Amino acid sequence: MMLAQQETNLPPTISIKNLSIDYKAKRGQVQAVRNISFEVDRGEAMALIGESGSGKTTIGLGVVGLLPPTAKIRQGEIIYRRAADGKIVDEIDVLKLNPQQIRQFRWKECAMVFQGALNAFNPVLRISDQFADTASAHNALRGMALKERATEILHMVRLDADRVWRSYPHELSGGMRQRVLIALSLLLEPQLIIMDEPTTALDVLTQRNIMDVLKDLRKNLNFSLIFISHDLSLAAELADKVSTVYAGKIVELGDVYTVFRNPYHPYTIGLIHAVPTLAGRKEDLTSIPGSPPDLINMPTGCKFHPRCPLADDQCKTQEPDLEEIGKGHRVACWKWQTARETLKRFKAS
Ligand SMILES: Nc1ncnc2c1ncn2[C@@H]1O[C@H](COP(=O)(O)OP(=O)(O)OP(=O)(O)O)[C@@H](O)[C@H]1O
Ligand SMILES: [Mg+2]
């Protein structure tokens, strides 16, 4: 990622600290996000990986202020910083914004491409009108300026801008619609973009195409990215850093290279071995036994212990915190020092 020298010393685009989010459900409180902290630097991409239901989308919705009314942010802080000319020009305490301010914040500072949003377009509006709607809600671009900006970003996502501009959503393929959504997220030049499973539900070739577009965009534009995916190979390809999320908590965090080459949390190790392309040989393919915990009735201690071959009494009673085990590499596991070796022996037997 090319960044102007002056930008690299700036504080992160987003700093999330001790964020906890619950949902109220009939059976009780769903602890969807539990005491999560991470930062995304300028121009950096952070992947959030983890099984279905681990809380990834909830984190994203919390950042853009789109949690449903049944959700409650129990604690935490989200600080967003806009930079210009090598300086921080605005620092926003996101959780303190009022509804009007958060609407302005969304799109302009932070845009989210939603999971499964391919059909979220208004079917009776042309793409041009969908762009105009977003812009006018922010008193931003209109007329020729809007068309020019839109053409520029539609080109960036490798679409025939003139054709797409006049089209209705149903006239575009799924892959084209996803690229329009990505372009739309860039319209007001937000410095943070959250992409929630942007390639899921697309065929493999279309997925490849979107990944290439995203890599291009990252090279050419300066935004920071939170990339949500359960697909580890995509995360490895696109992100600089990765966080493994389990039962609403980050259990491992580090740069992509370190986490994928040298994972220490038994859950991350399991995830990586569940992917044939990353694990190498096909015989290595083992899935993680058991299923994710009930977030209403959580196990005691480490939430992974019922599925972990290494779990002992301490794991069953005390939840480990994230501990720094190497430069920028953090792991929440009592057994991290021996996890890799033990799991290797475990598999060999
Ligand atoms: N509106 C809601 N009300 C109650 N519980 C919810 C609500 N939305 C999500 N949850 C629960 O919160 C937890 C986290 O959900 P979330 O959608 O954030 O997970 P995810 O990691 O994005 O999963 P996926 O990979 O399937 O998209 C899950 O247990 C889910 O069932
Ligand atoms: Mg999700």
Side-chain angles (χ1 to χ4, degrees):
M1 170 93 248
M2 297 286 285
L3 269 188
Q5 187 69 41
Q6 53 191 15
E7 294 250 311
T8 53
N9 303 323
L10 293 178
T13 308
I14 187 116
S15 306
I16 298 178
K17 239 193 225 157
N18 305 118
L19 183 67
S20 295
I21 304 173
D22 286 354
Y23 291 105
K24 207 196 283 174
K26 277 212 190 78
R27 282 196 305 125
Q29 295 291 112
V30 183
Q31 297 177 55
V33 173
R34 299 185 305 121
N35 205 19
I36 273 187
S37 301
F38 68 89
E39 299 181 329
V40 189
D41 277 321
R42 315 221 75 88
E44 186 177 70
M46 163 72 86
L48 302 181
I49 60 172
E51 279 166 297
S52 186
S54 55
K56 306 179 300 293
T57 296
T58 305
I59 298 170
L61 294 175
V63 174
V64 291
L66 282 176
L67 288 164
T70 53
K72 183 168 164 48
I73 297 184
R74 270 199 300 113
Q75 59 160 25
E77 188 180 64
I78 302 174
I79 304 290
Y80 165 90
R81 302 178 193 86
R82 165 170 282 272
D85 306 320
K87 290 195 299 277
I88 299 297
V89 291
D90 202 3
E91 188 166 290
I92 299 175
D93 190 338
V94 180
L95 298 182
K96 298 228 166 92
L97 298 178
N98 67 32
Q100 154 76 14
Q101 291 167 321
I102 192 95
R103 269 196 300 277
Q104 290 303 311
F105 173 76
R106 216 180 293 142
W107 297 101
K108 228 178 189 156
E109 308 294 347
C110 174
M112 183 157 172
V113 177
F114 294 99
Q115 181 170 18
L118 282 181
N119 301 314
F121 286 108
N122 186 334
V124 300
L125 291 184
R126 290 178 197 269
I127 300 302
S128 53
D129 297 322
Q130 323 247 2
F131 274 74
D133 269 4
T134 303
S136 77
H138 288 84
N139 308 314
L141 311 156
R142 64 178 79 165
M144 278 311 288
L146 172 65
K147 173 92 193 284
E148 259 168 43
R149 170 74 185 150
T151 304
E152 181 188 23
I153 49 184
L154 288 168
H155 275 144
M156 278 190 218
V157 299
R158 304 186 190 168
L159 285 170
D160 174 347
D162 285 331
R163 189 193 137 199
V164 166
W165 190 243
R166 282 177 279 114
S167 300
Y168 288 97
H170 73 266
E171 295 171 322
L172 306 174
S173 70
M176 290 167 88
R177 264 178 282 157
Q178 188 62 313
R179 279 181 284 164
V180 172
L181 284 172
I182 293 169
L184 193 56
S185 76
L186 296 164
L187 181 67
L188 304 181
E189 300 179 68
Q191 296 192 350
L192 177 67
I193 300 192
I194 302 174
M195 295 199 181
D196 194 355
E197 306 277 5
T199 66
T200 314
L202 299 170
D203 64 79
V204 178
L205 284 180
T206 309
Q207 182 171 328
R208 178 73 266 141
N209 195 297
I210 301 270
M211 285 302 288
D212 290 341
V213 163
L214 291 179
K215 280 205 240 168
D216 256 18
L217 291 173
R218 288 207 56 213
K219 226 182 284 157
N220 297 324
L221 302 171
N222 252 352
F223 58 85
S224 302
L225 175 65
I226 297 177
F227 180 77
I228 298 175
S229 182
H230 59 258
D231 189 325
L232 270 69
S233 50
L234 298 184
E237 195 181 328
L238 193 71
D240 305 300
K241 282 197 204 154
V242 53
S243 294
T244 310
V245 185
Y246 189 78
K249 185 177 150 83
I250 294 180
V251 295
E252 182 154 10
L253 186 162
D255 68 77
V256 159
Y257 189 85
T258 306
V259 173
F260 286 132
R261 286 297 174 92
N262 283 316
Y264 276 89
H265 196 286
Y267 178 62
T268 316
I269 296 173
L271 278 181
I272 289 171
H273 283 289
V275 178
T277 48
L278 282 176
R281 298 200 321 279
K282 218 176 174 175
E283 310 81 271
D284 279 343
L285 193 58
T286 47
S287 67
I288 303 167
S291 46
D294 176 359
L295 300 184
I296 293 179
N297 214 333
M298 209 84 81
T300 53
C302 170
K303 306 312 173 220
F304 188 59
H305 91 253
R307 300 170 77 183
C308 183
L310 309 175
D312 67 6
D313 282 345
Q314 184 182 29
C315 306
K316 289 174 190 162
T317 53
Q318 295 172 42
E319 184 161 34
D321 280 331
L322 270 181
E323 183 188 342
E324 178 127 13
I325 64 157
K327 195 171 177 296
H329 189 187
R330 288 185 271 165
V331 177
C333 173
W334 297 119
K335 302 281 164 207
W336 70 266
Q337 273 163 315
T338 51
R340 297 163 60 79
E341 277 313 306
T342 320
L343 286 172
K344 229 182 261 167
R345 264 187 282 128
F346 195 79
K347 211 159 52 177
S349 64

